[in-house]
Amino acid sequence: MRLFRRELERRAVDPAGRRWVFVPYDQLGDAVGPLAEREPGELGVVVAENPWKAGRRPYHRQKLALVVANLRQFALEQAARGVAVRHVVSRGPYREALAPLARELGPLAVMEPAERELRRDLEPLVADGRLEVVPHAGWLTTADQFRRGAGERPPWRMDAFYRLVRRESGLLMEDGKPAGGKFSFDADNRRPWRGEPPAPEPPRFRPDEITREAGALIEERFSGHPGEVDLASLPATRADARRLWRWAKRECLESFGPYEDAMSVRSSGLFHTRISPLLNLGRLTPRRVVEEVAALEAPLASREGFIRQVLGWREFVRHVHRETDGFRVLPAGNGRHRPPVDEAPGDGGWEGWTGRPWPGSDGGEGGARPSHLHARWPLPAAFWGATSGLACLDHVVAGVWREAWSHHITRLMVLANLATLLDVTPRGLADWFWVAYADAYDWVVEPNVLGMGTFAAGELMTTKPYVSGAAYVDRMSDYCAGCRFDPRRDCPVTRLYWAFLERKGKRLAGNRRMALPLKGIERRSAAEKARDRRVFDAVRRRLAEGTEVSPGDLS
């Protein structure tokens, strides 16, 4: 930390008479909120690095490097514009580091944290007046809009919410009607990618000495964490964030829409913008990106598809997480259901992979464990890098541990699909996403995994399980070409799909969108159903052993 400290001291300004604001790790910008509303000379900010929080779960080292580098660069950027900065290192909960500063500096202000986990950490300071919470100015929608759009009570639906906020924001609207005559072009955005147009190469960055020092800290103090650190792919400064966004607008948005759902071994991102980690850190603002995309000359289907991800889905999942208290309170008939909650942070299957408990998983609760489909199997070692023999799974997992990122279809239709077909515990999968992805925080990862990817909350926020056999992966990707299994002949994923429908048929019987697939089960012969079960048992056994599935296992 020597270089960072020295540079921060060089830029220090008189701290007297300032209004002090605590800036959490995911609010690293000055375009909204208290930092935008006052002159720099009136402000002081407190930023806190927290090795204790970083060590509670086996977070990907690239994720840790991204957070620490951006936090330090943000602190220096604020000091350079005349804001007083106090940088602290917390060896325990954030409240323990902030309490003495609140006594010294007076009550601190903070925009309401996005993460439930941090809000709970700070509650004692809020209760005794040492921390004043102001609304988070980075969100695009309100709780009132959510209830008017999605409904006062569940089931909540994103499309109704999205239509309301499109109308009220005016984005892509013409004379009160949606541009192009419809609100969503999702049905048009499902082309596989066969190599044309060429997928853009993501920008590479030149890490300065501050970023390199942050990377060295992660490599040294968090060497036991999984994943790789690649500083050249890590946007750390305000200038880096702007450069990535310029690249995204120039290189990605033109073709984003048609190939939004495509997957390829030749490009991990295709035309996805890769800005979600920066949005979730506050380095880019949602308002800026949706307004700038709306004004582009890119095809309407691409602009609408991007805006639906940010204005629609991102805002929707945040509200669902807040309304359910992190899936701890779910509707059940005329009452409420309270799923069990893990007492400690989950390790995402680390112990099952290594045979050793994660040393930092203590302090504070973990997460809710809804499981509408009664899935209980531990996350297999294939999610940690053991080769499964399934090319789609192995390719995506290797990319995640290399980049701390993959796009949303690989998350939903490869990782979550296979975990659901295998009866993997939804909580274990959610915790794995939380530790493995650079953009994963509780408010976004839990709705995406518990609410959508595994259907663990039933029809709370989605209409059906998002499961498929091999045909979908074959149609939308080139993964199958390099696999030992043929998607049309012997890929086990198809039999896993039929076995899933057979096992879960009673749980899904009332779901109208599952009526047709369940009819297919009725037409399946007893011999085929028996073979489906054998394949399911064989694949689970192999993956539980950490060994590869082979064609000989499926006869």
Side-chain angles (χ1 to χ4, degrees):
M1 198 180 295
R2 186 177 304 166
L3 293 172
F4 167 66
R5 289 283 197 191
R6 186 167 66 230
E7 187 61 23
L8 192 59
E9 290 171 2
R10 188 182 70 81
R11 303 184 190 189
V13 295
D14 185 358
R18 306 276 178 147
R19 174 61 167 128
W20 287 89
V21 180
F22 167 53
V23 179
Y25 44 84
D26 58 357
Q27 296 180 14
L28 304 179
D30 55 25
V32 298
L35 273 64
E37 295 162 2
R38 289 175 176 253
E39 292 298 318
E42 301 173 359
L43 285 167
V45 299
V46 174
V47 293
E49 289 183 32
N50 195 324
W52 174 80
K53 182 179 176 73
R56 293 178 73 216
R57 298 178 177 89
Y59 291 112
H60 198 301
R61 283 186 291 169
Q62 182 79 346
K63 179 176 188 172
L64 297 179
L66 180 79
V67 172
V68 173
N70 273 276
L71 186 142
R72 292 184 178 186
Q73 295 284 5
F74 168 80
L76 294 174
E77 290 159 4
Q78 294 308 302
R81 74 185 192 106
V83 176
V85 178
R86 292 289 293 270
H87 171 269
V88 296
V89 177
S90 179
R91 306 293 179 182
Y94 280 92
R95 60 182 178 270
E96 294 178 3
L98 297 177
L101 289 172
R103 288 193 293 269
E104 174 192 348
L105 302 171
L108 306 175
V110 64
M111 282 201 300
E112 182 182 66
E115 277 214 292
R116 179 192 186 276
E117 186 169 270
L118 182 57
R119 293 197 301 270
R120 289 296 300 273
D121 182 346
L122 300 177
E123 279 178 355
L125 297 183
V126 176
D128 65 15
R130 286 179 286 179
L131 195 62
E132 174 195 352
V133 179
V134 301
H136 193 314
W139 299 113
L140 297 174
T141 62
T142 66
D144 175 68
Q145 286 178 303
F146 175 74
R147 295 183 186 117
R148 286 189 290 115
E152 287 285 342
R153 287 183 54 79
W156 294 305
R157 296 292 177 255
M158 193 279 286
D159 57 348
F161 167 72
Y162 175 58
R163 288 194 297 270
L164 179 135
V165 297
R166 277 277 299 280
R167 290 190 184 101
E168 296 189 353
S169 70
L171 283 165
L172 297 184
M173 300 293 292
E174 298 172 353
D175 298 324
K177 297 181 180 180
K182 54 185 179 180
F183 282 100
S184 173
F185 290 85
D186 187 45
D188 303 328
N189 290 353
R190 296 174 182 172
R191 293 188 204 168
W193 181 73
R194 304 306 186 202
E196 292 293 335
E201 285 294 325
R204 304 288 286 175
F205 303 97
R206 292 185 177 181
D208 63 14
E209 60 182 8
I210 302 300
T211 297
R212 290 197 300 272
E213 186 177 63
L217 169 73
I218 302 306
E219 296 281 23
E220 177 185 349
R221 297 193 181 178
F222 298 93
S223 60
H225 285 241
E228 303 173 15
V229 174
D230 176 14
L231 295 181
S233 69
L234 188 155
T237 66
R238 186 199 306 265
D240 290 343
R242 290 172 174 170
R243 181 181 167 212
L244 180 64
W245 180 228
R246 288 195 301 270
W247 167 82
K249 289 185 291 183
R250 183 181 66 249
E251 303 291 342
C252 298
L253 266 298
E254 178 76 18
S255 299
F256 171 72
Y259 304 106
E260 183 178 352
D261 289 3
M263 302 173 282
S264 177
V265 297
R266 290 173 283 177
S267 171
S268 62
L270 290 174
F271 304 98
H272 290 258
T273 64
R274 297 176 177 262
I275 66 167
S276 55
L278 296 180
L279 279 176
N280 293 353
L281 283 177
R283 294 301 253 167
L284 294 172
T285 66
R287 185 168 305 281
R288 172 184 177 179
V289 301
V290 297
E291 289 179 349
E292 291 186 6
V293 167
L296 289 177
E297 294 185 359
L300 177 59
S302 290
R303 289 182 288 139
E304 187 280 319
F306 177 89
I307 287 171
R308 181 162 22 92
Q309 291 293 319
V310 180
L311 178 66
W313 188 254
R314 184 176 186 269
E315 294 283 321
F316 177 72
V317 300
R318 170 254 173 163
H319 287 297
V320 169
H321 197 262
R322 191 62 190 266
E323 292 287 327
T324 61
D325 193 26
F327 290 80
R328 288 161 175 80
V329 182
L330 303 178
N334 294 323
R336 293 180 173 183
H337 168 57
R338 294 183 180 273
V341 176
D342 285 342
E343 294 182 0
D347 66 4
W350 168 270
E351 184 171 359
W353 162 236
T354 64
R356 305 186 307 275
W358 180 253
S361 57
D362 59 359
E365 67 182 20
R369 289 191 283 115
S371 187
H372 178 72
L373 297 177
H374 298 167
R376 297 287 185 269
W377 194 49
L379 195 76
F383 281 74
W384 287 91
T387 305
S388 72
L390 303 174
C392 55
L393 178 60
D394 293 339
H395 177 79
V396 174
V397 167
V400 171
W401 289 120
R402 183 176 62 250
E403 299 185 53
W405 183 86
S406 70
H407 71 71
H408 72 278
I409 295 298
T410 58
R411 303 188 201 204
L412 179 63
M413 299 309 299
V414 176
L415 300 172
N417 178 44
L418 285 168
T420 303
L421 296 182
L422 290 166
D423 276 350
V424 167
T425 165
R427 182 72 248 169
L429 184 66
D431 289 332
W432 182 84
F433 270 89
W434 198 345
V435 302
Y437 278 87
D439 56 10
Y441 299 90
D442 60 10
W443 65 269
V444 63
V445 74
E446 290 177 340
N448 275 306
V449 178
L450 301 177
M452 187 181 194
T454 63
F455 206 60
E459 294 182 46
L460 177 82
M461 57 177 282
T462 54
T463 57
K464 68 180 183 69
Y466 282 81
V467 289
S468 76
Y472 180 89
V473 176
D474 184 39
R475 182 171 69 253
M476 296 306 300
S477 81
D478 55 15
Y479 296 156
C480 300
C483 190
R484 64 184 56 174
F485 299 103
D486 186 321
R488 296 175 180 83
R489 182 172 53 84
D490 64 350
C491 178
V493 176
T494 298
R495 290 198 177 271
L496 293 178
Y497 171 75
W498 289 116
F500 169 84
L501 293 178
E502 175 72 11
R503 292 193 315 279
K504 309 302 179 182
K506 290 182 179 179
R507 297 291 295 170
L508 298 171
N511 187 304
R512 287 178 295 176
R513 292 197 66 192
M514 294 301 294
L516 189 60
L518 293 175
K519 281 287 185 184
I521 279 290
E522 295 177 7
R523 295 191 295 268
R524 207 159 174 80
S525 70
E528 287 295 289
K529 289 180 181 180
R531 189 174 178 195
D532 296 338
R533 289 193 294 272
R534 289 198 302 273
V535 169
F536 171 72
D537 291 337
V539 172
R540 284 223 308 185
R541 182 178 65 254
R542 285 297 190 189
L543 297 186
E545 296 167 349
T547 56
E548 296 184 11
V549 180
S550 68
D553 296 320
L554 309 181
S555 57

